[in-house]
Amino acid sequence: MRKSIKILGFFILILLFSGNLFAQKITSPDGNLTLIFRITQGVPYYELSYSDKYVVKPGRLGFEANGFSLANNFAVKDVKYSSLNETWRPVWGEYSSVVNNYTEMLVQLFQPGEKGKSMNIRFRLFNDGLGFRYEFPNQPSLNYFTIKDELTEFALAGDHLAFCMPGDYDTNEFAYTTAKLSGIAPGMDQAARSKGYETKASGYTVQTPLMLKSGDGLYINIHEASLVNFPGMLLNVDDKNFILSSHLTPDKNGVKGYLQAPVNSPWRTIVVSNDARKILASRLILNLNEPCAFEETSWIKPVKYIGVWWEMFTGGGSTWAFSDYNKAKPGITDYSKLTPNGKHAANTANVKKYIDFAAKHGFDAVLVEGWNEGWEDWGSYVKDVHFSFDSPYPDFDVKELHRYASERGVKVMMHHETSSNASDYERQMDRAFKFMVENGYNSVKTGYVGYIIPRSEYHSSQWMINHYIRVVERAADFKIMVNSHEAVRPTGLSRTYPNWLAQESARGTEFETMGGNSCDHTTILPFTRLMGGPMDYTPGIFQTDMAYYKGFKPDQKVHTTLAKQLALYVTIPSPLQMAADLPENYDRFPDAFQFIKDVAVDWDNSWYLEAEPGDYITVARKSKGENEWYVGGITDENPREATVDFSFLPQGEKFVATIYEDGKDAHWDKNPQSYNIRTVSVSSESRLKIKMAASGGFAIGIK
Ligand code: NOJ
Ligand code: CA
């Protein structure tokens, strides 16, 4: 009797929760966002609306695994609701405390029948958007499995304006295209042509974070959070029906993930607002990451640095390599027998000059690239070993530089260009980190230029995702901070691993000497790449015209005014900021350089005052633990007048504001070095209008 009641109850459950019967809804804590989950003919769907507007229309959820489907025949076993409202404190960032407030719905699905599988979908609805992930629980019929495809759809409500770049398995260093979704194709093709190494994704795809603006004024950002043990996600584009769908990066066997239950996918994220400023202020992606993995974090410190770096991109022809060794010769065994080329930048005397400059102007560190053996033929995809990470070139005296730098209160920053040989880096990693600790280094810039070894992998495939995390975790064992270049774009993992200070993973300043970044580039970056975490953009170029260097790259130009370079320290927040230009160029403009010396790299609070993707950004920030504020404003190719509302300042006090602005005749191309510095008295009542030149900007320091 008991048993049959149980069975009857079970069938009633199936009836209730299957077919077209099941639909559940939750709303965000402020009631503005509504999420509806539905099962239709066994297929799971979700939709999201903002007030009365669709953010995404009903879109599919699910996976195809190799050998079975997790896409249909689903019924609902249970639905659990919960909510959270907590505040947590990041080790560093734009805000010293972050509110994590959401409504959660956990939908537990199962496929009736003997071979049926269980899959849960966890939705978290915040005031600024939605995160959801798939969870594959422990179950008798699911142990090891591989992913063929993720089917998640983002069914947009129209032909939105998109800020996007081509989908690629290996790189994010493309120029952005701004166009309606129906018209992005030509821009995608054009952008994809202008890079050195890449693997265009199969089909028609774009990269995330993808920024969109609807015709009726909704700003929508699609990305992922906490990318761990899973391949990076691109988006397939259907530019007729405006349905985007997940495109996981395969490995070269075509597999899109090797998993063992219990396991979760990363979070799929949709940040949304009718106010562009709130997209930039959103902490949703960080909130969806796990809390800090380390108990003790006092060794993690934001860094302002200079580097033996820009001289390799500009004048003089400085080289990373010690010699002009002919690549065609057999492998080098003894570097001390090579003939020096006389242009090797990372030599002890030159590095000391940088250390002196850093000490004089209060920088924390000096990055030195090209210090180690291997640069003579580092690009080769054929070699199995490229670099040695504990073998300095003969002219780089690591012990002496450690002594010299520490006497002056400066750190030398390590550089590990792996040449994308991740397997060899893993072999050497422990030795490399030990070498760093012994020689006084506490931060490393890693690099992944070229095609990945193991040769089965791409920069964004699952094995590499795990590699980057292994590096950051192992570095933490040695109390080392990491700045990774060319790695997969970030997904908020710096919350969990705050020693992962910054990444590149987009077109940085270096591209100003390799084709250029468009005038609107840095007005798009915060809405795209930076949604996942800080970027080592390497701003601060005062000598913007490369013709100055006589013959090296005479037609190359930085696409900003000098004042806009200053503003970038505030509009591109990062706990790791470089003053990238040559020391002698800073000596030519000491008054403007003062801003770079003053500006903070860690913040108590931030106020986005004005913002429109692709057009302009004005932001104010309060320096962490100091009564100092910094404001940055930038514009695209169009001159603009910014309005700075100082109501972020404490009431009833007067402050001195130093304004660094474009000169009256400034223009990024024709007159980039025209700037003006003035001081004014401000209070929380003040409003200032500041003019910006074409691709210009301004910076303000307030004390
Ligand atoms: C590319 C990096 O982005 C750049 O900063 C570095 O100097 C070169 N690779 C060499 O490692
Ligand atoms: Ca790069």
Side-chain angles (χ1 to χ4, degrees), residues 173 309 313 320 369 375 378 415 417 445 449 485-486 504 510:
E173 295 181 347
W309 182 72
F313 288 85
W320 282 270
E369 297 204 0
W375 289 89
W378 65 293
H415 185 226
E417 172 56 68
K445 169 178 171 178
V449 171
H485 276 227
E486 294 90 31
E504 183 195 44
E510 62 182 1

Side-chain angles (χ1 to χ4, degrees), residues 94-95 277 280-281 526 567-573 603 605-611 616-622 629-634 642-645 648 698-700:
E94 293 174 66
Y95 302 85
R277 296 174 303 172
L280 301 181
L568 296 178
Y569 288 89
V570 194
T571 62
I572 302 184
W603 311 99
N605 213 340
S606 297
W607 298 267
Y608 285 92
L609 305 177
E610 303 178 301
Y616 55 85
I617 294 170
T618 311
V619 59
R621 305 188 194 275
K622 180 181 176 295
W629 293 260
Y630 295 88
V631 184
I634 57 170
T643 305
V644 182
D645 175 341
F648 58 83
F698 66 91
I700 309 178

Side-chain angles (χ1 to χ4, degrees), residues 49 107 223 258 269 276 293 366 374 423 434 482 520 579 646 658 671:
S49 25
V107 186
H223 190 35
Y258 299 79
T269 61
V366 177
S423 45
K434 189 164 163 280
V482 180
D520 63 359
F646 288 85
T658 307
N671 200 5

Side-chain angles (χ1 to χ4, degrees), residues 573-682:
S574 172
L576 177 98
Q577 287 283 20
M578 184 178 200
D581 210 337
L582 308 179
E584 56 260 39
N585 290 332
Y586 292 132
D587 287 339
R588 290 163 57 209
F589 304 95
D591 53 354
F593 185 45
Q594 190 60 43
F595 182 81
I596 300 181
K597 289 163 64 172
D598 291 344
V599 68
V601 289
D602 195 14
W603 311 99
D604 272 332
N605 213 340
S606 297
W607 298 267
Y608 285 92
L609 305 177
E610 303 178 301
E612 183 63 27
D615 293 342
Y616 55 85
I617 294 170
T618 311
V619 59
R621 305 188 194 275
K622 180 181 176 295
S623 173
K624 194 178 240 170
E626 306 285 341
N627 274 334
E628 284 177 17
W629 293 260
Y630 295 88
V631 184
I634 57 170
T635 181
D636 61 5
E637 66 281 5
N638 302 306
R640 180 171 188 272
E641 189 173 70
T643 305
V644 182
D645 175 341
F646 288 85
S647 56
F648 58 83
L649 290 172
Q651 287 184 350
E653 282 178 67
K654 286 243 176 256
F655 300 91
V656 179
T658 307
I659 302 174
Y660 304 74
E661 62 196 344
D662 290 321
K664 284 205 170 59
D665 51 353
H667 184 280
W668 73 268
D669 187 23
K670 298 188 194 87
N671 200 5
Q673 290 168 332
S674 164
Y675 63 88
N676 174 48
I677 302 175
R678 59 185 162 117
T679 54
V680 294
S681 168
V682 291

Side-chain angles (χ1 to χ4, degrees), residues 32 37 64 84 142 153 308 405 443 468 558 590 684:
N32 277 339
F37 173 83
E64 290 298 342
L84 185 75
L142 191 65
E153 288 178 345
V308 180
S443 63
Y468 307 123
V558 176
S684 63

Side-chain angles (χ1 to χ4, degrees), residues 79 88 201 267 279 294 361 378 413 479 501 508 541 604 673:
V79 183
W88 57 277
W267 296 89
I279 303 291
F294 316 131
H361 296 289
W378 65 293
M413 187 183 287
K479 296 196 168 31
L501 281 189
I541 305 302
D604 272 332
Q673 290 168 332

Side-chain angles (χ1 to χ4, degrees), residues 84 86-92 98-100 102 124 126 283-294 297 300 491-500 532-534:
L84 185 75
E86 61 164 14
T87 301
W88 57 277
R89 298 181 74 79
V91 175
W92 45 258
V98 174
V99 174
N100 182 19
Y102 59 77
R124 286 190 182 160
F126 301 77
R283 300 293 95 183
L284 182 146
I285 289 171
L286 279 184
N287 278 327
L288 288 170
N289 275 271
E290 296 300 315
C292 181
F294 316 131
T297 56
I300 301 171
T491 57
L493 281 165
S494 57
R495 176 180 179 186
T496 313
Y497 306 110
N499 64 323
W500 204 347

